[in-house]
């Protein structure tokens, strides 16, 4: 509550279209706690009538037992961290749930009236074959979620896998996995709208679309990130709350709880605008650039000439978007905008 009251001022009159309880395992919170949080948010903010409220959850039996209460508390979208429907793969990943529990979690959520469900799946797992990766996708599709996040395993710093790298599939195998998986999803009615996001018609994640499009969002809680545009016009800031829960609780409601970074130079703003926008299959719409950055659109087009000439970006119908080559080398494409 202290963090909310301290942070809410810049967005108090802005209609809130989505809420996302994420960044770990928020389903460890009781449904009563989630209901209390939503009640406090409603007191301080203006909820859109069709607000999307997502909660991340693991598919273990302990959390599945709480799905009904979460639904009654106001959560209307679940994001389930399944990762794989293979028991062997789950063991190699160190997950505590098994494939049967994952399938049960999805079926239970559907039965309880969650008509918007995301399933998180990974591919390129240790020792995984193309057949096994496609079997995971086929199992997910058969369970009828409305959204699938399907992304390649990466070895993040400060993790067990980074310290002790497992044997991962070769690059050509990964390429075939991705191509055949995308074909399977498309045939099942899942449209890819972002690098790793696939949705049935009408079920794109509104929350993700907002930040991918350089929209504003408020970060609340330990370690939460936010992005706000305020006064004076086009004063854009990234915010980050203190990460350690003990320190966050100590400083919540004060300036010491939040680290801010000004996105002030044209170079920064162009890069930030493109950073996530180019992950979208539609790319970015030129008409959004000036209102969200305070910079002239012509400046963006000038900065994009190199990427356009290399065939990494394309332009038409008032938008810029990555070509197939640009999608394959998206990090390299973005790196062009960090060069002077």
């Amino acid at each position: 509550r202290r963090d909310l009251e301290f942070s809410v001022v810049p967005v108090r009159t802005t209609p809130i279209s989505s809420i996302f309880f994420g960044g770990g395992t928020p389903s460890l919170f009781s449904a009563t706690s989630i209901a209390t949080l939503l009640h406090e948010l409603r007191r301080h903010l203006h909820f859109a009538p069709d607000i999307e409220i997502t909660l991340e959850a693991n598919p273990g039996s302990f959390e599945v037992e709480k799905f009904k209460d979460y639904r009654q508390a106001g959560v209307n979208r679940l994001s389930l961290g399944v990762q794989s429907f293979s028991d062997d793969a789950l063991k190699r990943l160190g997950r505590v749930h098994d494939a049967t529990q994952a399938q049960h979690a999805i079926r239970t959520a559907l039965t309880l009236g969650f008509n918007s469900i995301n399933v998180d799946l990974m591919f390129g797992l240790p020792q995984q074959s193309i057949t096994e990766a496609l079997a995971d996708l086929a199992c997910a599709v058969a369970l009828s979620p409305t959204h699938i996040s399907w992304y390649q395993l990466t070895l993040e710093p400060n993790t067990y896998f980074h310290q002790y790298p497992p044997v991962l599939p070769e690059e050509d195998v990964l390429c075939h996995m991705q191509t055949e998986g995308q074909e399977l999803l498309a045939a099942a009615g899942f449209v890819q709208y972002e690098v790793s996001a696939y949705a049935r018609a009408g079920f794109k994640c509104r929350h993700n679309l907002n930040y991918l499009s350089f929209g504003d969002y408020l970060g609340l809680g330990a370690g939460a990130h936010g992005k706000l545009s305020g006064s004076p016009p086009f004063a854009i800031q990234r915010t980050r709350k203190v990460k350690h829960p003990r320190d966050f609780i100590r400083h919540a409601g004060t300036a010491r709880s939040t680290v801010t970074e000004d996105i002030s130079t044209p170079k920064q703003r162009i890069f930030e605008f493109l950073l996530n926008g180019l992950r979208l299959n539609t790319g970015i719409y030129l008409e959004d650039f000036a209102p969200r950055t305070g910079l002239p659109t012509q400046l963006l087009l000038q900065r994009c000439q190199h990427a356009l000439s290399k065939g990494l970006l394309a332009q038409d119908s008032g938008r810029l978007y990555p070509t197939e080559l640009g999608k394959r080398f998206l990090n390299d494409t973005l790196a062009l905008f960090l060069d002077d």
Side-chain angles (χ1 to χ4, degrees):
R1 182 180 296 171
R2 282 182 288 144
D3 188 37
L4 171 62
E5 292 175 349
F6 173 77
S7 306
V8 77
V9 176
V11 297
R12 191 180 295 276
T13 60
T14 304
I16 304 300
S17 62
S18 67
I19 296 172
F20 199 101
F21 291 102
T25 314
S27 53
L28 290 176
F29 278 82
S30 69
T32 301
S33 296
I34 296 296
T36 300
L37 285 169
L38 289 173
H39 173 74
E40 288 298 317
L41 288 167
R42 284 184 185 277
R43 286 184 58 233
H44 292 86
L45 299 168
H46 173 57
F47 282 20
D50 60 345
I51 189 169
E52 172 192 275
I53 303 177
T54 302
L55 183 136
E56 287 186 341
N58 286 324
S61 57
F62 170 72
E63 287 161 23
V64 170
E65 291 175 359
K66 298 189 284 187
F67 283 3
K68 180 179 180 181
D69 293 333
Y70 288 136
R71 187 73 185 90
Q72 292 176 342
V75 175
N76 55 27
R77 184 176 185 272
L78 282 181
S79 182
L80 301 174
V82 172
Q83 315 310 352
S84 176
F85 291 100
S86 162
D87 285 338
D88 288 341
L90 289 168
K91 287 178 183 177
R92 287 194 289 268
L93 289 170
R95 307 294 292 186
V96 297
H97 67 271
D98 59 28
T100 299
Q101 289 174 319
Q103 294 178 50
H104 174 66
I106 298 169
R107 293 191 182 104
T108 299
L110 289 167
T111 300
L112 292 172
F114 284 98
N115 63 358
S116 187
I117 299 171
N118 171 63
V119 171
D120 268 357
L121 286 177
M122 291 193 290
F123 70 93
L125 304 179
Q127 305 171 39
Q128 188 180 48
S129 67
I130 295 175
T131 300
E132 289 168 333
L134 295 179
D136 269 349
L137 275 180
C139 186
V141 166
L143 290 164
S144 300
T146 53
H147 190 287
I148 294 176
S149 297
W150 191 55
Y151 50 93
Q152 184 180 331
L153 172 67
T154 56
L155 305 185
E156 299 292 342
N158 303 316
T159 63
Y160 179 85
F161 276 175
H162 190 267
Q163 187 174 1
Y164 304 100
V167 178
L168 299 178
E170 298 289 338
E171 283 297 322
D172 60 334
V173 175
L174 290 170
C175 184
H176 282 297
M177 276 184 189
Q178 186 166 18
T179 300
E180 294 185 33
Q182 288 171 337
E183 291 174 355
L184 186 157
L185 286 163
F190 286 87
V191 175
Q192 182 183 20
Y193 67 95
E194 187 257 348
V195 170
S196 58
Y198 305 77
R200 296 194 185 277
F203 288 97
K204 295 176 183 178
C205 179
R206 191 182 307 167
H207 192 83
N208 289 352
L209 283 173
N210 176 58
Y211 74 71
L212 289 171
S213 302
F214 206 52
D216 286 353
Y217 53 99
L218 184 67
L220 298 173
H225 288 247
K227 178 254 174 183
L228 296 172
S229 305
S231 181
F234 305 113
I236 302 172
Q237 285 188 331
R238 295 283 187 189
T239 64
R240 185 180 77 252
K241 295 298 170 70
V242 172
K243 188 172 183 179
H244 197 287
R246 186 182 299 111
D247 293 334
F248 170 75
I249 291 171
R250 182 183 304 123
H251 299 304
T254 73
R256 295 185 65 183
S257 69
T258 308
V259 178
T260 61
E261 176 191 1
D262 291 323
I263 310 301
S264 55
T265 69
K267 179 179 173 181
Q268 284 178 308
R269 293 190 179 194
I270 290 173
F271 179 75
E272 291 272 346
F273 183 78
L274 296 175
L275 177 62
N276 290 318
L278 291 183
R279 290 179 60 89
L280 293 166
N281 280 25
T282 56
I284 57 99
Y285 288 91
L286 296 177
E287 66 182 16
D288 292 335
F289 180 72
R292 296 190 179 183
T293 65
L295 300 173
T297 304
Q298 190 58 36
L299 181 59
L300 171 66
L301 293 174
Q302 289 172 2
R303 291 285 291 165
C304 287
Q305 287 308 306
H306 191 191
L308 287 164
S309 67
K310 292 172 73 71
L312 297 169
L313 294 183
Q315 178 185 353
D316 71 57
S317 302
R319 64 190 180 100
L320 285 167
Y321 58 93
T323 61
E324 288 304 315
L325 181 65
K327 290 178 185 176
R328 196 176 309 141
F329 298 101
L330 187 57
N331 287 341
D332 296 299
T333 301
L334 290 167
L336 295 176
F337 296 93
L338 291 175
D339 296 336
D340 292 327

Short mmCIF file of all heavy atoms in Angstrom, two decimals, residues 48-97:
data_model
loop_
_atom_site.label_atom_id
_atom_site.label_comp_id
_atom_site.label_asym_id
_atom_site.label_seq_id
_atom_site.Cartn_x
_atom_site.Cartn_y
_atom_site.Cartn_z
N ALA A 48 -10.18 0.21 -16.60
CA ALA A 48 -10.99 0.13 -17.81
C ALA A 48 -12.04 -0.96 -17.61
O ALA A 48 -11.80 -1.95 -16.91
CB ALA A 48 -10.12 -0.19 -19.02
N PRO A 49 -13.23 -0.82 -18.21
CA PRO A 49 -14.29 -1.82 -18.02
C PRO A 49 -13.88 -3.23 -18.41
O PRO A 49 -14.32 -4.20 -17.79
CB PRO A 49 -15.43 -1.30 -18.91
CG PRO A 49 -15.17 0.16 -19.07
CD PRO A 49 -13.68 0.31 -19.06
N ASP A 50 -13.03 -3.35 -19.43
CA ASP A 50 -12.61 -4.68 -19.90
C ASP A 50 -11.18 -4.98 -19.51
O ASP A 50 -10.45 -5.66 -20.24
CB ASP A 50 -12.77 -4.78 -21.42
CG ASP A 50 -11.93 -3.74 -22.15
OD1 ASP A 50 -11.47 -2.77 -21.48
OD2 ASP A 50 -11.71 -3.89 -23.36
N ILE A 51 -10.75 -4.52 -18.34
CA ILE A 51 -9.37 -4.67 -17.91
C ILE A 51 -8.93 -6.14 -17.94
O ILE A 51 -9.69 -7.04 -17.58
CB ILE A 51 -9.18 -4.07 -16.50
CG1 ILE A 51 -7.70 -4.03 -16.13
CG2 ILE A 51 -10.00 -4.82 -15.46
CD1 ILE A 51 -7.41 -3.22 -14.87
N GLU A 52 -7.70 -6.36 -18.39
CA GLU A 52 -7.08 -7.69 -18.40
C GLU A 52 -6.24 -7.82 -17.13
O GLU A 52 -5.34 -7.01 -16.89
CB GLU A 52 -6.20 -7.82 -19.64
CG GLU A 52 -5.34 -9.07 -19.70
CD GLU A 52 -4.31 -8.98 -20.81
OE1 GLU A 52 -4.64 -9.32 -21.96
OE2 GLU A 52 -3.16 -8.54 -20.52
N ILE A 53 -6.52 -8.84 -16.31
CA ILE A 53 -5.77 -9.05 -15.07
C ILE A 53 -5.16 -10.43 -15.11
O ILE A 53 -5.84 -11.45 -14.97
CB ILE A 53 -6.68 -8.89 -13.84
CG1 ILE A 53 -7.34 -7.51 -13.84
CG2 ILE A 53 -5.87 -9.09 -12.56
CD1 ILE A 53 -8.32 -7.29 -12.69
N THR A 54 -3.84 -10.48 -15.30
CA THR A 54 -3.11 -11.73 -15.46
C THR A 54 -2.36 -12.08 -14.18
O THR A 54 -1.79 -11.20 -13.53
CB THR A 54 -2.10 -11.62 -16.61
OG1 THR A 54 -2.77 -11.27 -17.82
CG2 THR A 54 -1.35 -12.93 -16.82
N LEU A 55 -2.34 -13.37 -13.87
CA LEU A 55 -1.53 -13.86 -12.76
C LEU A 55 -0.69 -15.03 -13.25
O LEU A 55 -1.21 -15.97 -13.85
CB LEU A 55 -2.41 -14.30 -11.59
CG LEU A 55 -1.67 -14.77 -10.33
CD1 LEU A 55 -2.31 -14.18 -9.07
CD2 LEU A 55 -1.68 -16.29 -10.21
N GLU A 56 0.63 -14.96 -13.02
CA GLU A 56 1.50 -16.07 -13.35
C GLU A 56 1.40 -17.14 -12.27
O GLU A 56 1.33 -16.83 -11.08
CB GLU A 56 2.96 -15.60 -13.44
CG GLU A 56 3.27 -14.78 -14.68
CD GLU A 56 4.75 -14.47 -14.81
OE1 GLU A 56 5.47 -14.56 -13.79
OE2 GLU A 56 5.18 -14.12 -15.91
N ALA A 57 1.38 -18.39 -12.71
CA ALA A 57 1.26 -19.50 -11.75
C ALA A 57 2.01 -20.71 -12.25
O ALA A 57 2.13 -20.94 -13.46
CB ALA A 57 -0.21 -19.86 -11.52
N ASN A 58 2.53 -21.48 -11.32
CA ASN A 58 3.10 -22.77 -11.67
C ASN A 58 1.99 -23.82 -11.64
O ASN A 58 1.03 -23.68 -10.88
CB ASN A 58 4.21 -23.15 -10.68
CG ASN A 58 5.47 -22.35 -10.90
OD1 ASN A 58 5.83 -22.04 -12.03
ND2 ASN A 58 6.15 -21.99 -9.82
N PRO A 59 2.13 -24.89 -12.44
CA PRO A 59 1.04 -25.87 -12.52
C PRO A 59 1.08 -26.96 -11.45
O PRO A 59 0.46 -28.00 -11.62
CB PRO A 59 1.23 -26.46 -13.92
CG PRO A 59 2.66 -26.29 -14.22
CD PRO A 59 3.13 -25.09 -13.48
N GLY A 60 1.79 -26.73 -10.35
CA GLY A 60 1.79 -27.70 -9.27
C GLY A 60 0.45 -27.74 -8.55
O GLY A 60 -0.32 -26.78 -8.58
N SER A 61 0.18 -28.84 -7.89
CA SER A 61 -1.14 -29.04 -7.27
C SER A 61 -1.44 -28.00 -6.21
O SER A 61 -2.60 -27.59 -6.04
CB SER A 61 -1.21 -30.45 -6.67
OG SER A 61 -0.16 -30.66 -5.73
N PHE A 62 -0.43 -27.52 -5.47
CA PHE A 62 -0.66 -26.54 -4.41
C PHE A 62 -1.30 -25.27 -4.97
O PHE A 62 -2.23 -24.71 -4.38
CB PHE A 62 0.67 -26.20 -3.72
CG PHE A 62 0.58 -25.03 -2.77
CD1 PHE A 62 -0.06 -25.14 -1.55
CD2 PHE A 62 1.14 -23.80 -3.12
CE1 PHE A 62 -0.15 -24.06 -0.68
CE2 PHE A 62 1.06 -22.72 -2.25
CZ PHE A 62 0.42 -22.85 -1.04
N GLU A 63 -0.82 -24.81 -6.13
CA GLU A 63 -1.34 -23.58 -6.69
C GLU A 63 -2.65 -23.79 -7.44
O GLU A 63 -3.51 -22.91 -7.46
CB GLU A 63 -0.27 -22.95 -7.58
CG GLU A 63 0.84 -22.35 -6.72
CD GLU A 63 2.13 -22.11 -7.48
OE1 GLU A 63 2.07 -21.99 -8.70
OE2 GLU A 63 3.17 -22.03 -6.82
N VAL A 64 -2.81 -24.95 -8.06
CA VAL A 64 -4.04 -25.23 -8.78
C VAL A 64 -5.24 -25.19 -7.85
O VAL A 64 -6.33 -24.76 -8.22
CB VAL A 64 -3.95 -26.61 -9.49
CG1 VAL A 64 -5.29 -27.04 -10.05
CG2 VAL A 64 -2.91 -26.56 -10.61
N GLU A 65 -5.05 -25.60 -6.60
CA GLU A 65 -6.14 -25.59 -5.62
C GLU A 65 -6.68 -24.18 -5.39
O GLU A 65 -7.81 -24.00 -4.93
CB GLU A 65 -5.65 -26.18 -4.29
CG GLU A 65 -5.37 -27.69 -4.34
CD GLU A 65 -4.78 -28.20 -3.04
OE1 GLU A 65 -4.58 -27.37 -2.11
OE2 GLU A 65 -4.52 -29.41 -2.95
N LYS A 66 -5.88 -23.16 -5.71
CA LYS A 66 -6.28 -21.78 -5.45
C LYS A 66 -6.88 -21.09 -6.67
O LYS A 66 -7.29 -19.93 -6.58
CB LYS A 66 -5.07 -20.99 -4.94
CG LYS A 66 -4.50 -21.53 -3.63
CD LYS A 66 -3.46 -20.60 -3.05
CE LYS A 66 -2.15 -20.71 -3.79
NZ LYS A 66 -1.07 -19.93 -3.13
N PHE A 67 -6.94 -21.76 -7.82
CA PHE A 67 -7.40 -21.12 -9.05
C PHE A 67 -8.81 -20.54 -8.91
O PHE A 67 -9.09 -19.44 -9.37
CB PHE A 67 -7.38 -22.11 -10.21
CG PHE A 67 -6.00 -22.38 -10.78
CD1 PHE A 67 -4.86 -21.81 -10.22
CD2 PHE A 67 -5.84 -23.21 -11.88
CE1 PHE A 67 -3.60 -22.07 -10.73
CE2 PHE A 67 -4.59 -23.47 -12.41
CZ PHE A 67 -3.47 -22.89 -11.83
N LYS A 68 -9.72 -21.29 -8.29
CA LYS A 68 -11.10 -20.83 -8.15
C LYS A 68 -11.15 -19.53 -7.36
O LYS A 68 -11.88 -18.58 -7.73
CB LYS A 68 -11.95 -21.89 -7.46
CG LYS A 68 -13.41 -21.50 -7.27
CD LYS A 68 -14.21 -22.61 -6.61
CE LYS A 68 -15.66 -22.21 -6.43
NZ LYS A 68 -16.44 -23.29 -5.76
N ASP A 69 -10.37 -19.47 -6.28
CA ASP A 69 -10.38 -18.26 -5.45
C ASP A 69 -9.74 -17.08 -6.18
O ASP A 69 -10.17 -15.93 -6.00
CB ASP A 69 -9.64 -18.52 -4.14
CG ASP A 69 -10.38 -19.52 -3.26
OD1 ASP A 69 -11.62 -19.61 -3.38
OD2 ASP A 69 -9.72 -20.22 -2.48
N TYR A 70 -8.74 -17.35 -6.99
CA TYR A 70 -8.14 -16.27 -7.79
C TYR A 70 -9.17 -15.70 -8.77
O TYR A 70 -9.24 -14.48 -8.97
CB TYR A 70 -6.93 -16.77 -8.57
CG TYR A 70 -5.71 -17.05 -7.72
CD1 TYR A 70 -4.96 -18.21 -7.92
CD2 TYR A 70 -5.30 -16.16 -6.74
CE1 TYR A 70 -3.83 -18.48 -7.15
CE2 TYR A 70 -4.19 -16.41 -5.96
CZ TYR A 70 -3.45 -17.57 -6.17
OH TYR A 70 -2.35 -17.82 -5.40
N ARG A 71 -9.95 -16.59 -9.36
CA ARG A 71 -10.98 -16.14 -10.31
C ARG A 71 -11.99 -15.24 -9.60
O ARG A 71 -12.38 -14.20 -10.11
CB ARG A 71 -11.69 -17.36 -10.92
CG ARG A 71 -12.67 -17.01 -12.03
CD ARG A 71 -11.93 -16.62 -13.29
NE ARG A 71 -12.84 -16.17 -14.34
CZ ARG A 71 -13.23 -14.92 -14.52
NH1 ARG A 71 -12.81 -13.97 -13.70
NH2 ARG A 71 -14.04 -14.60 -15.50
N GLN A 72 -12.40 -15.64 -8.40
CA GLN A 72 -13.36 -14.84 -7.64
C GLN A 72 -12.75 -13.52 -7.17
O GLN A 72 -13.47 -12.53 -6.99
CB GLN A 72 -13.86 -15.66 -6.45
CG GLN A 72 -14.72 -16.86 -6.85
CD GLN A 72 -15.14 -17.70 -5.67
OE1 GLN A 72 -14.55 -17.61 -4.59
NE2 GLN A 72 -16.14 -18.55 -5.86
N ALA A 73 -11.43 -13.51 -6.99
CA ALA A 73 -10.76 -12.28 -6.55
C ALA A 73 -10.68 -11.24 -7.67
O ALA A 73 -10.43 -10.06 -7.41
CB ALA A 73 -9.35 -12.60 -6.06
N GLY A 74 -10.89 -11.67 -8.93
CA GLY A 74 -10.87 -10.73 -10.04
C GLY A 74 -9.87 -11.04 -11.13
O GLY A 74 -9.84 -10.36 -12.16
N VAL A 75 -9.02 -12.06 -10.93
CA VAL A 75 -8.07 -12.46 -11.97
C VAL A 75 -8.86 -13.08 -13.12
O VAL A 75 -9.69 -13.96 -12.91
CB VAL A 75 -7.04 -13.47 -11.42
CG1 VAL A 75 -6.12 -13.97 -12.54
CG2 VAL A 75 -6.23 -12.84 -10.29
N ASN A 76 -8.61 -12.61 -14.35
CA ASN A 76 -9.35 -13.17 -15.49
C ASN A 76 -8.44 -13.77 -16.56
O ASN A 76 -8.91 -14.19 -17.62
CB ASN A 76 -10.27 -12.12 -16.12
CG ASN A 76 -9.54 -10.84 -16.52
OD1 ASN A 76 -8.35 -10.85 -16.80
ND2 ASN A 76 -10.27 -9.73 -16.53
N ARG A 77 -7.13 -13.81 -16.28
CA ARG A 77 -6.19 -14.44 -17.22
C ARG A 77 -5.10 -15.13 -16.42
O ARG A 77 -4.52 -14.53 -15.52
CB ARG A 77 -5.59 -13.40 -18.16
CG ARG A 77 -4.68 -13.96 -19.24
CD ARG A 77 -4.21 -12.84 -20.19
NE ARG A 77 -3.44 -13.35 -21.30
CZ ARG A 77 -2.10 -13.54 -21.28
NH1 ARG A 77 -1.42 -13.23 -20.18
NH2 ARG A 77 -1.48 -14.01 -22.33
N LEU A 78 -4.81 -16.38 -16.76
CA LEU A 78 -3.74 -17.13 -16.11
C LEU A 78 -2.60 -17.36 -17.09
O LEU A 78 -2.83 -17.61 -18.28
CB LEU A 78 -4.23 -18.49 -15.62
CG LEU A 78 -5.05 -18.54 -14.32
CD1 LEU A 78 -5.40 -19.99 -14.00
CD2 LEU A 78 -4.28 -17.92 -13.15
N SER A 79 -1.38 -17.27 -16.59
CA SER A 79 -0.20 -17.60 -17.38
C SER A 79 0.53 -18.72 -16.65
O SER A 79 1.06 -18.52 -15.55
CB SER A 79 0.71 -16.38 -17.54
OG SER A 79 1.83 -16.70 -18.34
N LEU A 80 0.53 -19.91 -17.24
CA LEU A 80 1.03 -21.11 -16.57
C LEU A 80 2.42 -21.48 -17.07
O LEU A 80 2.63 -21.69 -18.28
CB LEU A 80 0.06 -22.27 -16.80
CG LEU A 80 -1.37 -22.04 -16.29
CD1 LEU A 80 -2.28 -23.20 -16.69
CD2 LEU A 80 -1.37 -21.86 -14.78
N GLY A 81 3.36 -21.57 -16.14
CA GLY A 81 4.75 -21.89 -16.49
C GLY A 81 4.97 -23.37 -16.66
O GLY A 81 5.61 -24.01 -15.82
N VAL A 82 4.46 -23.93 -17.75
CA VAL A 82 4.54 -25.38 -18.00
C VAL A 82 5.96 -25.78 -18.40
O VAL A 82 6.53 -26.73 -17.87
CB VAL A 82 3.52 -25.80 -19.08
CG1 VAL A 82 3.74 -27.25 -19.49
CG2 VAL A 82 2.10 -25.59 -18.56
N GLN A 83 6.53 -25.10 -19.38
CA GLN A 83 7.88 -25.30 -19.93
C GLN A 83 8.00 -26.56 -20.80
O GLN A 83 8.64 -26.53 -21.84
CB GLN A 83 8.96 -25.30 -18.84
CG GLN A 83 8.86 -24.20 -17.81
CD GLN A 83 8.70 -22.80 -18.41
OE1 GLN A 83 8.82 -22.58 -19.59
NE2 GLN A 83 8.36 -21.85 -17.56
N SER A 84 7.43 -27.68 -20.36
CA SER A 84 7.45 -28.89 -21.18
C SER A 84 6.40 -29.87 -20.66
O SER A 84 6.03 -29.81 -19.49
CB SER A 84 8.83 -29.55 -21.14
OG SER A 84 8.83 -30.77 -21.86
N PHE A 85 5.93 -30.74 -21.56
CA PHE A 85 5.03 -31.82 -21.15
C PHE A 85 5.78 -33.15 -21.08
O PHE A 85 5.16 -34.22 -21.04
CB PHE A 85 3.85 -31.93 -22.12
CG PHE A 85 2.90 -30.77 -22.03
CD1 PHE A 85 2.95 -29.74 -22.96
CD2 PHE A 85 1.96 -30.69 -21.01
CE1 PHE A 85 2.07 -28.66 -22.88
CE2 PHE A 85 1.09 -29.62 -20.92
CZ PHE A 85 1.15 -28.60 -21.86
N SER A 86 7.09 -33.09 -21.06
CA SER A 86 7.93 -34.28 -20.93
C SER A 86 8.48 -34.35 -19.51
O SER A 86 9.16 -33.43 -19.06
CB SER A 86 9.09 -34.23 -21.92
OG SER A 86 10.12 -35.13 -21.56
N ASP A 87 8.20 -35.44 -18.81
CA ASP A 87 8.70 -35.58 -17.44
C ASP A 87 10.22 -35.56 -17.40
O ASP A 87 10.82 -34.98 -16.49
CB ASP A 87 8.18 -36.88 -16.82
CG ASP A 87 6.71 -36.80 -16.44
OD1 ASP A 87 6.21 -35.67 -16.26
OD2 ASP A 87 6.06 -37.86 -16.34
N ASP A 88 10.86 -36.19 -18.38
CA ASP A 88 12.33 -36.20 -18.41
C ASP A 88 12.87 -34.78 -18.58
O ASP A 88 13.83 -34.38 -17.90
CB ASP A 88 12.84 -37.10 -19.54
CG ASP A 88 12.62 -38.58 -19.26
OD1 ASP A 88 12.44 -38.93 -18.07
OD2 ASP A 88 12.64 -39.37 -20.22
N ALA A 89 12.26 -34.02 -19.49
CA ALA A 89 12.72 -32.65 -19.72
C ALA A 89 12.50 -31.79 -18.48
O ALA A 89 13.36 -30.97 -18.11
CB ALA A 89 12.00 -32.06 -20.92
N LEU A 90 11.37 -31.96 -17.82
CA LEU A 90 11.08 -31.18 -16.61
C LEU A 90 12.08 -31.48 -15.50
O LEU A 90 12.51 -30.59 -14.77
CB LEU A 90 9.65 -31.47 -16.13
CG LEU A 90 8.53 -30.90 -17.02
CD1 LEU A 90 7.18 -31.47 -16.61
CD2 LEU A 90 8.50 -29.37 -16.94
N LYS A 91 12.48 -32.74 -15.39
CA LYS A 91 13.48 -33.10 -14.38
C LYS A 91 14.81 -32.45 -14.70
O LYS A 91 15.50 -31.92 -13.81
CB LYS A 91 13.63 -34.62 -14.33
CG LYS A 91 12.47 -35.34 -13.67
CD LYS A 91 12.66 -36.85 -13.70
CE LYS A 91 11.46 -37.56 -13.10
NZ LYS A 91 11.60 -39.05 -13.18
N ARG A 92 15.18 -32.45 -16.00
CA ARG A 92 16.46 -31.82 -16.38
C ARG A 92 16.43 -30.31 -16.11
O ARG A 92 17.46 -29.71 -15.84
CB ARG A 92 16.76 -32.10 -17.86
CG ARG A 92 17.18 -33.54 -18.14
CD ARG A 92 17.79 -33.68 -19.52
NE ARG A 92 16.80 -33.55 -20.58
CZ ARG A 92 16.13 -34.58 -21.11
NH1 ARG A 92 16.34 -35.81 -20.65
NH2 ARG A 92 15.26 -34.38 -22.08
N LEU A 93 15.24 -29.72 -16.21
CA LEU A 93 15.10 -28.29 -15.94
C LEU A 93 14.99 -27.97 -14.45
O LEU A 93 15.01 -26.80 -14.06
CB LEU A 93 13.86 -27.74 -16.66
CG LEU A 93 13.93 -27.65 -18.19
CD1 LEU A 93 12.56 -27.32 -18.75
CD2 LEU A 93 14.94 -26.60 -18.63
N GLY A 94 14.83 -29.00 -13.64
CA GLY A 94 14.69 -28.78 -12.20
C GLY A 94 13.32 -28.32 -11.78
O GLY A 94 13.16 -27.72 -10.70
N ARG A 95 12.28 -28.56 -12.62
CA ARG A 95 10.92 -28.16 -12.28
C ARG A 95 10.32 -29.14 -11.29
O ARG A 95 10.61 -30.35 -11.31
CB ARG A 95 10.04 -28.09 -13.53
CG ARG A 95 10.61 -27.24 -14.64
CD ARG A 95 10.68 -25.78 -14.28
NE ARG A 95 9.36 -25.18 -14.17
CZ ARG A 95 9.13 -23.90 -13.99
NH1 ARG A 95 10.15 -23.06 -13.85
NH2 ARG A 95 7.92 -23.44 -13.93
N VAL A 96 9.45 -28.65 -10.42
CA VAL A 96 8.88 -29.51 -9.37
C VAL A 96 7.57 -30.16 -9.80
O VAL A 96 7.10 -31.07 -9.14
CB VAL A 96 8.67 -28.71 -8.06
CG1 VAL A 96 9.99 -28.21 -7.52
CG2 VAL A 96 7.70 -27.55 -8.29
N HIS A 97 6.95 -29.69 -10.90
CA HIS A 97 5.72 -30.31 -11.37
C HIS A 97 6.04 -31.36 -12.44
O HIS A 97 7.15 -31.39 -12.98
CB HIS A 97 4.75 -29.26 -11.92
CG HIS A 97 5.24 -28.60 -13.18
ND1 HIS A 97 6.02 -27.47 -13.17
CD2 HIS A 97 5.05 -28.91 -14.49
CE1 HIS A 97 6.29 -27.11 -14.41
NE2 HIS A 97 5.72 -27.97 -15.24
#
